[in-house]
Amino acid sequence: MQLTLQQMSATDEAKSLICELCRNFYQLGWVGGTGGGMSVKTGDLIVMAPSGVQKERMIPEDMFVLDQQGNVLVNPIPRPSPYKPPKLSECSPLFMAAFELRSAGAVMHSHSLNAVLATLIDPTASEFTVTNLEMIKGIAGHGYYDNCTVPIIENTARECELTDRLRQAIKDYPKSQAVLVRRHGVYVWGSTWIQAKTQAECYDYLFEAALKMKAAVGIDASQPATRAPAAVANGVAQNGHAHGSERPTKRHKASAEDAPRAIVLDIEGTVAPISFVYDVLFPYAKKQLTAYLEKHWESAELQAELQQLQAQAKEHQHMPGAQDVLSANKATAIAGIQAFVEGLMREDKKLTILKTLQVSSHPNACKLPLMLFAICITGMSC
């Protein structure tokens, strides 16, 4: 198949990106000895690293280009001896499973030792779980207090033979962004290569943290953290002494002037589980958005917000509704905005304008902080 100039430009960028990332992963010990792999989606094409090559020495010409069904459209250019003829990655059917079942934008396969050892914390376990670790917040759909669970599947002699097990694990664990393979490594994906890279790094941190917590201090990372007794909370004992100090601390007599005038709260993973955002806030905003747009279409405030949204639509033209957001026709634009915003929510985009529209759609909206917005839609007065 002959690619268009636009497709060639996009795939060339993805090829260079894979080479760069694999060099970084090699330094981390994730893709040594020709192990591991990576694939990146660009438009309706997929660029995939070859199998059996030294990942840190790859060049863009080594990459395969596939269609969305996994058919090879462009083969790599063979390199002279001692390089072997290019071979499509053994991981290709597993990468395609994540593209198909999770609409992934990139998939990474790592042979990280932390991932291997994480599967052996309990050699009989079918899943790995951690909670109450800060880096959990780097995994889409998770907060500090959530259980971050990754399914573990058993290894096979050949990589491609893992396909059925991995597909089933992806279906059985819809919140997980990864699948561990016992005594082998891990597959991690994301909606973009940036999210996939971020999540691969966060998962590896969590694997290592669980291993070191257990080995160094005997703490099971799958169990919630135990809190310090109230008597010594914040380093102050009941007798008024600073914890570990013999001298009493001087107490300040409270006055009306000391009372806080405002409290800033972060909802995600602190005062409410991260699932509240996806199960309550997002559905509510989706339901109210069209009515909000109809009512305030002519307002200067909304038009200013729409200018920001239109800028995002130009950057994400592949998403549903993006083209219609730019329409001069009100009905077409509103329908496009609804579709585009729902797409941004689905992909969990961290955009200021998205949060602004989510909050503004509340009927009593007054640019509420997100936590107060959450309180309002649960029925409390605001």
Side-chain angles (χ1 to χ4, degrees), residues 243-263:
H243 187 51
S245 171
E246 297 301 321
R247 299 182 63 185
T249 56
K250 185 177 180 180
R251 293 178 179 270
H252 172 70
K253 187 175 181 180
S255 65
E257 288 76 15
D258 295 321
R261 298 180 182 179
I263 301 174

Side-chain angles (χ1 to χ4, degrees), residues 18-339:
I18 290 176
C19 293
E20 176 189 345
L21 292 177
C22 282
R23 284 193 292 271
N24 292 340
F25 294 161
Y26 176 78
Q27 296 298 324
L28 296 172
W30 292 2
V31 295
T34 78
M38 184 175 181
S39 56
V40 173
K41 192 172 185 181
T42 174
D44 56 356
L45 300 177
I46 295 168
V47 177
M48 192 175 296
S51 182
V53 301
Q54 294 178 316
K55 299 299 188 293
E56 76 281 10
R57 294 181 60 82
M58 292 189 304
I59 59 176
E61 290 75 17
D62 292 332
M63 304 298 143
F64 285 85
V65 178
L66 292 73
D67 63 19
Q68 296 190 73
Q69 288 70 49
N71 302 308
V72 176
L73 302 179
V74 179
N75 283 290
I77 300 172
R79 299 168 72 178
S81 180
Y83 293 97
K84 297 179 179 179
K87 178 184 175 184
L88 184 62
S89 175
E90 281 272 306
C91 305
S92 59
L94 295 100
F95 288 154
M96 297 306 298
F99 286 125
E100 174 194 342
L101 299 175
R102 288 299 179 81
S103 300
V107 190
M108 303 175 183
H109 175 42
S110 159
H111 285 188
S112 159
L113 188 57
N114 291 328
V116 173
L117 293 176
T119 69
L120 299 174
I121 293 176
D122 179 352
T124 64
S126 60
E127 58 186 37
F128 166 90
T129 299
V130 291
T131 189
N132 290 183
L133 288 170
E134 180 67 14
M135 291 292 273
I136 291 174
K137 292 160 68 174
I139 308 301
H142 291 75
Y144 175 81
Y145 291 110
D146 292 331
N147 286 331
C148 181
T149 300
V150 181
I152 302 173
I153 60 176
E154 298 300 327
N155 197 24
T156 56
R158 294 190 60 197
E159 200 110 22
C160 57
E161 294 170 356
L162 289 168
T163 306
D164 290 343
R165 297 178 185 180
L166 183 130
R167 290 179 67 90
Q168 191 60 51
I170 291 176
K171 293 175 183 177
D172 291 344
Y173 290 81
K175 285 194 68 176
S176 181
Q177 306 293 311
V179 173
L180 282 160
V181 183
R182 200 179 316 275
R183 297 175 179 267
H184 181 150
V186 65
Y187 285 84
V188 185
W189 54 85
S191 60
T192 65
W193 71 265
I194 295 174
Q195 187 185 55
K197 176 179 179 289
T198 299
Q199 295 189 146
E201 293 166 350
C202 289
Y203 273 125
D204 199 72
Y205 175 97
L206 295 171
F207 299 151
E208 184 176 12
L211 291 163
K212 290 187 174 179
M213 287 168 67
K214 189 173 183 67
V217 287
I219 293 177
D220 183 351
S222 68
Q223 299 302 311
T226 55
R227 300 189 177 214
V232 294
N234 297 320
V236 180
Q238 285 180 334
N239 61 4
H241 290 230
H243 187 51
S245 171
E246 297 301 321
R247 299 182 63 185
T249 56
K250 185 177 180 180
R251 293 178 179 270
H252 172 70
K253 187 175 181 180
S255 65
E257 288 76 15
D258 295 321
R261 298 180 182 179
I263 301 174
V264 179
L265 298 172
D266 175 8
I267 179 176
E268 297 189 20
T270 52
V271 298
I274 190 68
S275 58
F276 182 80
V277 175
Y278 298 91
D279 297 341
V280 179
L281 294 185
F282 281 6
Y284 184 90
K286 290 177 186 177
K287 183 178 178 182
Q288 299 293 329
L289 181 57
T290 295
Y292 166 73
L293 295 171
E294 294 276 6
K295 182 177 179 180
H296 300 281
W297 187 256
E298 303 299 333
S299 72
E301 185 176 26
L302 177 57
Q303 288 302 314
E305 293 172 355
L306 292 184
Q307 287 182 9
Q308 297 178 51
L309 192 67
Q310 287 168 350
Q312 292 298 329
K314 291 177 182 177
E315 293 184 18
H316 300 84
Q317 294 185 33
H318 65 286
M319 296 185 65
Q323 297 297 329
D324 290 339
V325 170
L326 307 174
S327 174
N329 180 277
K330 176 181 175 181
T332 301
I334 289 178
I337 292 168
Q338 182 75 37

Side-chain angles (χ1 to χ4, degrees), residues 336-378:
I337 292 168
Q338 182 75 37
F340 183 58
V341 168
E342 289 186 10
L344 293 175
M345 291 181 188
R346 250 190 328 271
E347 295 193 10
D348 196 23
K349 298 290 186 183
K350 307 298 184 184
L351 303 176
T352 301
I353 182 57
L354 181 57
K355 292 186 177 182
T356 300
L357 285 173
Q358 289 166 353
V359 174
S360 296
S361 62
H362 187 270
N364 297 327
C366 51
K367 295 303 177 213
L368 300 169
L370 186 55
M371 185 57 216
L372 296 185
F373 173 60
I375 294 173
C376 285
I377 72 168
T378 57

